[in-house]
Each structure stands twice: as structure tokens, then as C-alpha cells.
Amino acid sequence: VVVCPSEDFEACGTNWNNPKIVFIDSNADGNRNSDEELLVATAKASDSTKMTGPNTSINFQYTGAASRSFSIQLCPINDDATVARAILVSLQGRVKVSSDADDNGTHEDMDGVALNCP
């Protein structure tokens, strides 16, 4: 299963502000072909937010494991890190939302580092 941002709901891109698609990549070419069913699609990110993620597609194996750990971060357009949030995915495919574990007003990534909005 592949998760990626896509302008046209077929070719995967790297701009996470674009709509996101989820599909089974039967031929492992990294793009959704006409014979590959679109499982889920989302709208583009709001103009008041910026979304960042990995520079490649996200792949999940049949076991649920992810091809690598990663995070997808959502920041407000004004770059206020105190309202930034992230979706964190481990190698095992475990998904969780960032939290403010040290109670300092800013959520942390999976390594415990405060989220930063560029």
C-alpha cells in the first residue's frame, strides 16, 4: 500500500500540501495506474496551514510494517510551533499523533525533539 501526495490522483509527488492518495501499488512502480484502485483520497491542505512529510512515497507492507519510520507535520501559516502537530509512524507501522510529553507548550516528534515550523 502506498500513501503519497498527488496533484492528479495518479502520480505521486513530494508536496504534502497537495491532496493525498492511498492505493495498492500492484506493479511497484510508485504511481497509481488505471488498474490500481484508489482506496482513499483527501483534499489538499488548507491555505492556512503547511504540511510537510517525507520526500518519497510512504510504503506499507502486507504485514502493516512501514518501509521506514516517518512523520508528517502540520504547521500554521504563521509558523507558530506551539500549535504544530505531527503524525508519527514507526517501522512497525504504529501510527500516533504527537504530544507535549514534557508539558512545555510544544509537541515533540518521535525522538522527543520539539516540533519546529520552518
Side-chain angles (χ1 to χ4, degrees), residues 15-18 20 45 49-53 72-75:
N15 183 350
W16 287 88
N17 291 304
N18 285 332
K20 272 62 75 192
T49 61
K50 296 184 288 186
M51 188 175 274
T52 56
I72 298 173
Q73 186 169 313
L74 188 65
C75 285

Side-chain angles (χ1 to χ4, degrees), residues 37-90:
E37 182 182 358
L38 182 62
L39 301 175
V40 176
T42 68
K44 73 179 205 79
S46 164
D47 290 337
S48 63
T49 61
K50 296 184 288 186
M51 188 175 274
T52 56
N55 289 328
T56 61
S57 299
I58 300 165
N59 299 309
F60 290 92
Q61 307 305 315
Y62 71 94
T63 61
S67 54
R68 62 190 171 106
S69 60
F70 64 89
S71 65
I72 298 173
Q73 186 169 313
L74 188 65
C75 285
I77 202 74
N78 69 359
D79 292 335
D80 180 0
T82 63
V83 294
R85 300 294 182 263
I87 298 169
L88 312 169
V89 181
S90 71

Side-chain angles (χ1 to χ4, degrees), residues 90-109:
S90 71
L91 279 172
Q92 296 79 17
R94 180 175 177 230
V95 179
K96 71 178 205 171
V97 177
S98 62
S99 64
D100 182 11
D102 62 7
D103 204 26
N104 71 350
T106 303
H107 281 218
E108 293 89 28
D109 65 16

Side-chain angles (χ1 to χ4, degrees), residues 2-53:
V2 172
V3 178
C4 66
S6 177
E7 289 185 49
D8 60 7
F9 297 93
E10 290 180 11
C12 288
T14 58
N15 183 350
W16 287 88
N17 291 304
N18 285 332
K20 272 62 75 192
I21 59 174
V22 179
F23 62 97
I24 296 173
D25 191 11
S26 303
N27 62 1
D29 71 350
N31 290 303
R32 181 177 162 254
N33 300 303
S34 60
D35 61 339
E36 294 172 332
E37 182 182 358
L38 182 62
L39 301 175
V40 176
T42 68
K44 73 179 205 79
S46 164
D47 290 337
S48 63
T49 61
K50 296 184 288 186
M51 188 175 274
T52 56

